[in-house]
Amino acid sequence: MTEIINDEKNTKYLDYTSDSVEFYPFNNNIFVCGTYEIEKGDTEYKERRKGKLYLFEIEEQKENENNNNNNNKLFKEIQNINFNSGILDMKWNNNKDRILGVVMSKGELNIYQYDEVEKKLELKSSTEISLSNDILSLSLDWNKSGDKLICSFSDGNIGLFKVTNDYSKVIEEKRWKAHDYEAWICAFNYHDESMVFSGGDDCKFKIWDLNQLLNNDPDAMPPTPKFTKRCDMGVTSIHCHPTIENLIAVGSYDECLRIWDLKSLKQPIITTDSLGGGIWRIKWHPFHKNKLVTACMAGGFHILSTDPENINDFSTLQIQQSYNGPHKSIAYGVDWSFNKNNFDKQFIGCCSFYDKCLSIWIP
């Protein structure tokens, strides 16, 4: 296992605790970082959160600078937006409309559009999607078409929402009780938009059929998932493979990564050994189909890949590289940059919580 240490120029310490990093899909050097802070006081816990959304740009090292390290990059802040609510998750919409969805601790869903000329995020809509003041919005994901998203909540519910063509309005289509406790994560099947996944603090990974849910009588019994798998601990992360159908990565507080084949759900293709901490984020590589990266809380950040002699055999998945760098706290956010043409300039954004640390890992 190789430890890659980055130059201090690839590190920034933020104003608030950091938990989410997302690279812009159409420019390898643009990314966002989401943060939140819990202020001291006697008011309601939820009301004491505040947050900040950062927009960053990675700058190439100038040729005339006295530095022989080609991997030495700099990144600069180009915008920040303050909130009286904490950011808990963000996802870019992968269509060409340059849209970012952000879920907030007080229950808002904010939709932003990135202006590539001005290099700034512009608010398109802000919608209260939480049912009450004590329910947090925890995660979100877009469908591949980019016209719908799902959000998960601290009361165990999952919500399905449709956005208008100009992103000025968010319309709820369905909300259902998916988990007994916090629904930490929800995700779309990018190859079948009628299928969504969820994971919760009740230690269950579930698969849902949206067609069945949308046709279900709202006064009937709670909907039944297509598939339920009980895990040893809470399910915290799920990501559908972007290019291989039926392949799903699932992470848990039990520190093990599981790869599932939707065609054969009797058991996972692989359950890895412990990655050193609860797996809070999983991101498949956008173009290298046999790789993924994880943020593993106390275990740092890991790239896992299959055997190079048989890259399609996901039962051979194992850690290829690991990274802690400047991070001294819980590894919460991670994402690959989207450079399709030049893999020498692959970046990974990493953020950790209590130390408020953001860094660029160059594997």
Side-chain angles (χ1 to χ4, degrees):
M1 180 165 49
T2 304
E3 174 76 12
I4 307 297
I5 304 296
N6 277 44
D7 190 276
E8 63 181 7
K9 293 181 179 180
N10 289 341
T11 302
K12 288 188 181 293
Y13 292 92
L14 307 173
D15 293 335
Y16 305 145
T17 51
S18 52
D19 62 359
S20 179
V21 178
E22 297 288 329
F23 266 90
Y24 180 54
F26 310 111
N27 183 324
N28 194 57
N29 290 28
I30 298 293
F31 69 98
V32 290
C33 180
T35 69
Y36 75 86
E37 191 90 354
I38 300 175
E39 298 181 287
K40 295 180 180 179
D42 298 325
T43 56
E44 185 181 346
Y45 183 69
K46 186 176 179 182
E47 293 296 327
R48 290 187 280 116
R49 279 188 170 93
K50 59 182 179 180
K52 185 178 288 189
L53 172 59
Y54 293 89
L55 179 66
F56 290 104
E57 181 177 23
I58 297 172
E59 296 183 300
E60 305 291 337
Q61 187 73 33
K62 295 179 181 178
E63 292 183 2
N64 59 0
E65 291 189 15
N66 186 21
N67 194 313
N68 295 321
N69 182 5
N70 292 329
N71 279 346
N72 185 22
K73 308 292 178 182
L74 303 173
F75 64 100
K76 66 177 182 180
E77 178 185 323
I78 54 179
Q79 185 184 10
N80 69 72
I81 304 170
N82 284 285
F83 305 97
N84 62 353
S85 186
I87 297 172
L88 297 184
D89 196 16
M90 307 183 291
K91 293 289 191 310
W92 290 99
N93 186 327
N94 284 327
N95 67 21
K96 297 296 184 180
D97 290 335
R98 313 179 311 280
I99 295 296
L100 176 71
V102 183
V103 286
M104 315 293 293
S105 61
K106 289 185 179 179
E108 311 100 314
L109 169 61
N110 290 351
I111 306 291
Y112 293 90
Q113 187 169 47
Y114 177 60
D115 186 325
E116 294 182 327
V117 176
E118 298 292 331
K119 292 186 177 180
K120 67 177 183 179
L121 295 165
E122 298 177 338
L123 183 66
K124 302 296 290 184
S125 64
S126 181
T127 307
E128 176 63 55
I129 60 172
S130 178
L131 292 179
S132 72
N133 196 43
D134 60 346
I135 298 173
L136 305 177
S137 304
L138 296 177
S139 74
L140 83 160
D141 197 21
W142 294 92
N143 65 354
K144 192 171 184 179
S145 299
D147 62 342
K148 292 185 180 183
L149 47 80
I150 50 172
C151 298
S152 68
F153 299 91
S154 60
D155 64 350
N157 279 345
I158 303 292
L160 174 68
F161 302 90
K162 183 176 178 61
V163 293
T164 55
N165 290 336
D166 61 357
Y167 300 97
S168 64
K169 191 173 182 181
V170 174
I171 303 162
E172 180 178 321
E173 291 196 333
K174 186 70 177 181
R175 188 184 299 254
W176 69 98
K177 185 69 171 179
H179 295 274
D180 297 329
Y181 305 109
E182 290 92 341
W184 292 123
I185 188 68
C186 58
F188 266 102
N189 183 338
Y190 302 139
H191 310 282
D192 179 359
E193 295 183 356
S194 68
M195 181 183 292
V196 297
F197 314 102
S198 67
D201 212 43
D202 57 2
C203 308
K204 294 175 182 176
F205 164 54
K206 296 185 178 184
I207 302 175
W208 304 89
D209 181 349
L210 288 181
N211 291 329
Q212 176 188 354
L213 288 166
L214 292 171
N215 292 326
N216 191 51
D217 184 345
D219 297 324
M221 295 290 290
T224 302
K226 289 184 63 176
F227 172 80
T228 299
K229 175 64 176 180
R230 185 170 183 86
C231 302
D232 293 334
M233 300 181 74
V235 177
T236 50
S237 51
I238 301 170
H239 196 208
C240 175
H241 199 291
T243 58
I244 300 177
E245 293 186 33
N246 301 308
L247 207 62
I248 310 297
V250 179
S252 168
Y253 281 131
D254 70 3
E255 306 182 355
C256 298
L257 176 72
R258 293 167 175 83
I259 306 298
W260 289 91
D261 181 351
L262 296 179
K263 301 189 305 296
S264 180
L265 288 168
K266 186 176 181 179
Q267 62 185 19
I269 296 173
I270 185 174
T271 300
T272 68
D273 294 334
S274 169
L275 300 186
I279 304 170
W280 194 253
R281 305 275 185 198
I282 303 169
K283 298 290 180 67
W284 288 104
H285 194 285
F287 306 111
H288 287 311
K289 64 181 182 179
N290 67 319
K291 290 185 177 183
L292 54 78
V293 67
T294 61
C296 295
M297 299 180 74
F301 306 91
H302 306 289
I303 295 173
L304 290 90
S305 65
T306 58
D307 185 335
E309 299 298 322
N310 190 1
I311 63 171
N312 294 317
D313 183 0
F314 286 90
S315 69
T316 66
L317 197 73
Q318 62 182 342
I319 293 176
Q320 179 189 54
Q321 293 181 8
S322 298
Y323 171 71
N324 279 319
H327 297 276
K328 307 299 182 185
S329 182
I330 301 170
Y332 264 163
V334 70
D335 198 19
W336 305 91
S337 66
F338 279 74
N339 193 334
K340 187 175 183 178
N341 301 312
N342 186 352
F343 294 112
D344 293 332
K345 296 181 180 179
Q346 176 71 70
F347 307 122
I348 301 175
C350 304
C351 71
S352 49
F353 196 65
Y354 293 110
D355 58 359
K356 308 174 185 179
C357 183
L358 170 68
S359 75
I360 296 298
W361 175 16
I362 305 171

